[in-house]
Amino acid sequence: TASELVHHGIPSLFIPYPRQVDDQEARAVRIAAAGAGLTVPRPEADAIERALRKLLDPGTAERIRAAAERLIPENGAVRAARAILERP
């Protein structure tokens, strides 16, 4: 979901959930470092509220949208579907 939100330029707040399967925190930090979204260090109400207020600012939302589209400019779904369909 994170990749799809970023690819489509949807200004988003990423709140990582600790999992053993993938490193959501690393992904959220990488997206935030690129300016393509926001994250909070801990899911605390005041930090989430501050981040959401930033997302509601039109200038901030536009900067995030532009950075997001640069970070993931291509959706790999079509390429993946072709690869699957072309398999012998």
Side-chain angles (χ1 to χ4, degrees):
T1 303
S3 294
E4 286 80 8
L5 288 168
V6 172
H7 168 71
H8 291 288
I10 299 171
S12 302
L13 169 62
F14 297 95
I15 302 172
Y17 180 78
R19 295 178 54 176
Q20 293 180 4
V21 179
D22 64 339
D23 193 345
Q24 290 186 1
E25 183 176 8
R27 184 181 309 111
V29 168
R30 187 172 57 251
I31 291 168
L38 301 177
T39 190
V40 291
R42 288 174 297 288
E44 296 171 348
D46 59 332
I48 292 170
E49 182 179 349
R50 281 192 304 275
L52 291 175
R53 287 188 188 280
K54 286 180 185 178
L55 287 178
L56 292 173
D57 174 69
T60 300
E62 177 57 28
R63 285 189 295 278
I64 289 172
R65 184 201 60 74
E69 290 178 350
R70 285 190 303 273
L71 184 62
I72 304 180
E74 180 184 349
N75 182 341
V78 172
R79 192 169 16 137
R82 279 193 195 116
I84 291 168
L85 292 173
E86 292 172 357
R87 289 183 66 187

